[in-house]
């Protein structure tokens, strides 16, 4: 898979209300084997509550390394907080 450089963060499940981009950055080359990382600003983190929900949307394109059939193409995500 090739990441399409289009990650965005939304505040609603329908993904129609985009979080203002001044509240986060997308690192498209973290250099740690990951395709991208999202880092939220401390000022935004100070405003969230236990009820806050965030949704991340991104896309990828099958490339020449794509696997046809099983087991398919891995697409994993990791969440770190605290």
């Amino acid at each position: 898979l090739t990441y399409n450089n289009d990650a965005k963060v939304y505040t609603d499940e329908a993904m129609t209300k985009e979080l203002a981009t001044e509240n986060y950055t997308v690192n498209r080359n973290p250099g740690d084997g990951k395709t991208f990382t999202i880092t939220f600003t401390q000022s935004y983190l100070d405003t969230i509550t236990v009820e806050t929900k965030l949704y991340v949307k991104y896309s990828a394109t099958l490339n020449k390394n794509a696997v046809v059939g099983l087991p398919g193409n891995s697409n994993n995500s990791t969440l770190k907080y605290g």
Side-chain angles (χ1 to χ4, degrees):
L1 295 173
T2 301
Y3 169 56
N4 291 327
N5 295 317
D6 60 353
K8 293 184 180 181
V9 179
Y10 296 86
T11 59
D12 65 317
E13 191 171 1
M15 291 191 246
T16 59
K17 298 175 184 172
E18 186 178 348
L19 182 65
T21 56
E22 62 261 12
N23 293 314
Y24 67 95
T25 58
V26 178
N27 182 348
R28 292 175 176 89
N29 189 17
D32 57 2
K34 295 178 177 66
T35 306
F36 69 93
T37 59
I38 296 173
T39 304
F40 295 94
T41 63
Q42 188 60 53
S43 59
Y44 176 70
L45 293 174
D46 291 342
T47 69
I48 65 172
T49 67
V50 68
E51 289 85 23
T52 301
K53 293 182 180 181
L54 297 173
Y55 303 85
V56 177
K57 181 178 180 179
Y58 64 94
S59 66
T61 303
L62 290 176
N63 59 30
K64 65 181 180 181
N65 300 315
V67 176
V68 177
L70 296 176
N73 298 279
S74 178
N75 187 0
N76 301 311
S77 60
T78 304
L79 173 64
K80 286 186 180 182
Y81 62 93

